[in-house]
Amino acid sequence: MVDDDPLRMAVDIAWSVYRARHRHVDAADSRRCLLERHLHGRWEAGESDAEELTGFGIAYLDRLPDDEC
């Protein structure tokens, strides 16, 4: 079984940073699901470092349009 703790940590941190920058975004916003899918794909492609995944997640969220969801 693969250890997905780095993935979970990266999603949680990237989402927390994004919400701190965008106070109007609800914790249950569907962008979190998009973030999870994006980082899961990176993780399956072999990226396993939590810090790098976090950086990829923050960059991904910053590229999403405000009206994405």
Side-chain angles (χ1 to χ4, degrees):
M1 183 172 172
V2 177
D3 178 20
D4 64 349
D5 285 341
L7 174 62
R8 291 182 191 276
M9 184 174 19
V11 169
D12 290 343
I13 293 170
W15 186 241
S16 294
V17 168
Y18 183 76
R19 288 198 57 233
R21 292 181 182 170
H22 301 88
R23 300 247 180 225
H24 67 280
V25 175
D26 186 71
D29 191 279
S30 60
R31 282 171 272 214
R32 180 173 173 117
C33 182
L34 295 173
L35 169 66
E36 290 172 353
R37 281 192 235 158
H38 176 73
L39 290 184
H40 190 266
R42 302 289 304 230
W43 181 70
E44 284 187 332
E47 183 60 56
S48 61
D49 182 70
E51 289 180 18
E52 286 191 29
L53 285 168
T54 300
F56 291 137
I58 292 169
Y60 173 77
L61 288 168
D62 284 343
R63 288 190 309 264
L64 290 177
D66 285 337
D67 61 351
E68 178 70 25
C69 304

